Amino acid sequence: GDSVTQKQGQVTLSEDDFLFINCTYSTTTYPTLFWYVQYPGQGPQLLLKVTTANNKGISRGFEATYDKGTTSFHLQKASVQESDSAVYFCALPGTQVVGQLTFGRGTRLQVYA
Amino acid sequence: EAGVTQSPRYAVLQEGQAVSFWCDPISGHDTLYWYQQPRDQGPQLLVYFRDEAVIDNSQLPSDRFSAVRPKGTNSTLKIQSAKQGDTATYLCASSFGTGDTQYFGPGTRLLVL
């Protein structure tokens, strides 16, 4: 079935450091891929989405590139801020249950000033 | 535009007690989702509706969980006899059609003692 893997459970950085969060996926189709961000006490909110048509998504300084060859959808940001501290989820639409979003386990980002 | 609202925000129960969660989606969104998010994990779909119809409830523990959306707007998720394993955050999300961006509410944090 469809699956999303985020290997990093936690990433700790200092302000202005480069951010890289790994995400790989397994699916039989080429769906739209999503990154959601969840701040404490809130529900996940869409950070960016990428389709096969545009291959790259950019939002609020974050970017992710759809790589069908390596089935990856890594999230990057050149210079993080303390306000970026949150949990980041990679997600893809399900094929067995249409309408479902399959989420990775999440990567907790902690940025220190 | 108001976002997805949920109530209550927190609930604490003893095992065997019942609890209901309420969700008001974004106005005009025909599709409504209920997710369960255990601590330190990604959200997992329980059930979703298009208008008042259940589209998929294959991951809803039907012996104790039920969900309704009688007029195709607000929705209620109920746990009849809660177990400690039900401890999680319950998230409601809505979208315009399936496959489109899902917008999440703040969630209800449930603790079953």
Side-chain angles (χ1 to χ4, degrees):
Chain A
D2 305 316
S3 65
V4 177
T5 302
Q6 291 181 250
K7 291 183 179 178
Q8 303 148 291
Q10 173 135 352
V11 173
T12 303
L13 297 172
S14 300
E15 279 197 326
D16 299 324
D17 281 351
F18 172 73
L19 170 68
F20 180 90
I21 298 179
N22 180 287
C23 172
T24 57
Y25 63 89
S26 174
T27 181
T28 57
T29 65
Y30 296 107
T32 299
L33 296 175
F34 301 86
W35 277 101
Y36 277 81
V37 56
Q38 186 172 27
Y39 298 99
Q42 298 182 26
Q45 56 183 263
L46 182 68
L47 178 59
L48 56 82
K49 66 179 181 181
V50 178
T51 67
T52 52
N54 57 20
N55 264 12
K56 187 175 213 172
I58 299 175
S59 174
R60 302 187 241 166
F62 291 88
E63 66 176 68
T65 301
Y66 199 147
D67 187 334
K68 285 186 279 185
T70 59
T71 61
S72 66
F73 187 53
H74 309 314
L75 183 69
Q76 302 180 67
K77 188 177 186 184
S79 176
V80 293
Q81 302 302 307
E82 194 173 10
S83 58
D84 294 325
S85 297
V87 182
Y88 292 80
F89 294 96
C90 182
L92 81 164
T95 52
Q96 293 174 321
V97 177
V98 176
Q100 173 179 0
L101 276 179
T102 298
F103 286 83
R105 69 167 186 167
T107 298
R108 182 176 300 276
L109 171 64
Q110 181 67 55
V111 181
Y112 291 100
Chain B
E1 178 183 278
V4 177
T5 55
Q6 292 186 245
S7 65
R9 292 296 313 274
Y10 304 93
V12 181
L13 307 174
Q14 299 290 332
E15 272 200 324
Q17 288 186 307
V19 63
S20 291
F21 310 131
W22 179 83
C23 172
D24 188 4
I26 292 173
S27 178
H29 281 189
D30 57 353
T31 308
L32 184 147
Y33 312 80
W34 283 103
Y35 287 85
Q36 182 190 61
Q37 185 178 22
R39 186 177 175 82
D40 295 330
Q41 295 185 35
Q44 297 154 16
L45 183 71
L46 292 172
V47 58
Y48 84 96
F49 299 84
R50 185 174 304 115
D51 299 319
E52 68 277 4
V54 173
I55 303 301
D56 191 276
N57 62 0
S58 59
Q59 294 162 95
L60 190 70
S62 58
D63 57 333
R64 296 183 301 108
F65 286 64
S66 62
V68 294
R69 193 185 185 200
K71 297 182 179 179
T73 51
N74 303 334
S75 177
T76 303
L77 175 69
K78 184 174 182 178
I79 306 176
Q80 280 284 39
S81 178
K83 298 182 178 180
Q84 287 187 352
D86 298 332
T87 292
T89 297
Y90 290 83
L91 295 163
C92 178
S94 69
S95 67
F96 185 69
T98 55
D100 198 4
T101 300
Q102 295 182 22
Y103 296 87
F104 286 81
T108 297
R109 293 183 71 173
L110 173 65
L111 175 62
V112 183
L113 301 173

